[in-house]
Amino acid sequence: MPRLRRQYGAVRRFCNRKAAALAAVLLLAASPGWAEPLRLVALGDSLTQGYGLPPEDGFTAQLERWLAAQGREVQVVNAGVSGDTTAGGRSRVGWALADGADAMLVTLGGNDLLRGVDPSVSRDNLDAILTEAAAQEVPVLLIAMEAPGNYGPDYRAAFDAIYPELAETHGVALAESFLAPLVEGTADGAAMRDFLQEDGLHPNAEGVARIVEGLGPRVLELIDTAAE
């Protein structure tokens, strides 16, 4: 009998230790330190993708580091495709959200401008993207693009109106032109060249850093809303 009592006592102590260890793991898993990072999908074109830059200097990588510096643990998913139009974004938004998303950035329209796409077509495509995000209950920050004047004032007015009107219709957050931070605080638009690559279209690493600094507060608002 003493031997059986010793064996029973050993088993009981082992079970108690296992239970305590399991409880500790569950407690840690429930703590903020063990929470999975928020998943932020950045749907866009070459500006999002990081054209011409090493991966660590691209928009999504710099944004993820900036958010970390603000104390936010966020995985920024690079869903940018170089050359993509709003039509391309529309065709793959379901794929971009397939693995789940807590929030999404939408930065599309630059290539529509380069190709002179009818603003009504761009509007329909962006509307479909925002509709899909709403169906999946993914909050969105819509980042505007501004039309140049070479297509005439009517085209420019029609295109520039797309973003605020869709943001209001869908009840999503709106940020100013993606490239606006490159001229903010400068004497004239010519200073923007200092933050562009040699092609004159895509930001260099320093330009991306300025863009992230400019957009960062709006992104913070988005992810804090998503985390509620």
Side-chain angles (χ1 to χ4, degrees):
M1 288 296 292
R3 181 179 180 184
L4 288 176
R5 283 197 296 271
R6 287 196 299 273
Q7 289 176 337
Y8 173 74
V11 170
R12 185 172 60 182
R13 288 193 298 274
F14 174 77
C15 291
N16 288 341
R17 287 196 298 270
K18 293 288 285 185
L22 178 59
V25 169
L26 293 175
L27 181 62
L28 285 171
S31 68
W34 274 56
E36 289 188 1
L38 288 176
R39 184 177 172 88
L40 174 63
V41 173
L43 182 71
D45 49 32
S46 55
L47 297 174
T48 302
Q49 181 263 336
Y51 176 87
L53 296 172
E56 65 272 15
D57 289 338
F59 173 71
T60 55
Q62 290 207 44
L63 178 60
E64 188 171 296
R65 291 197 299 271
W66 187 90
L67 291 170
Q70 313 309 310
R72 307 304 199 281
E73 190 176 2
V74 181
Q75 177 191 9
V76 183
V77 179
N78 191 340
V81 173
S82 184
D84 223 356
T85 61
T86 56
R90 177 178 185 172
S91 69
R92 60 190 178 84
V93 62
W95 165 82
L97 297 175
D99 291 332
D102 296 296
M104 181 168 67
L105 307 180
V106 176
T107 309
L108 287 162
N111 289 307
D112 294 51
L113 290 171
L114 291 176
R115 302 180 186 188
V117 173
D118 187 323
S120 65
V121 174
S122 301
R123 177 189 292 272
D124 287 346
N125 291 330
L126 288 170
D127 181 65
I129 291 170
L130 297 177
T131 298
E132 178 64 24
Q136 298 198 34
E137 299 183 343
V138 177
V140 171
L141 174 62
L142 179 62
I143 304 174
M145 298 296 295
E146 293 182 349
N150 54 307
Y151 293 121
D154 291 342
Y155 182 100
R156 184 173 188 172
F159 188 92
D160 289 353
I162 292 173
Y163 298 90
E165 290 176 0
L166 286 180
E168 182 176 0
T169 298
H170 288 271
V172 302
L174 176 68
E176 63 179 338
S177 170
F178 187 87
L179 298 175
L182 299 187
V183 295
E184 190 173 314
T186 60
D188 60 76
M192 183 175 176
R193 290 195 299 266
D194 296 336
F195 305 112
L196 296 176
Q197 298 179 43
E198 291 184 1
D199 62 8
L201 293 174
H202 297 93
N204 55 29
E206 186 179 356
V208 171
R210 286 179 67 95
I211 290 169
V212 168
E213 285 285 342
L215 287 174
R218 302 306 311 277
V219 178
L220 276 178
E221 293 173 3
L222 176 71
I223 63 172
D224 286 349
T225 298
E228 293 177 353

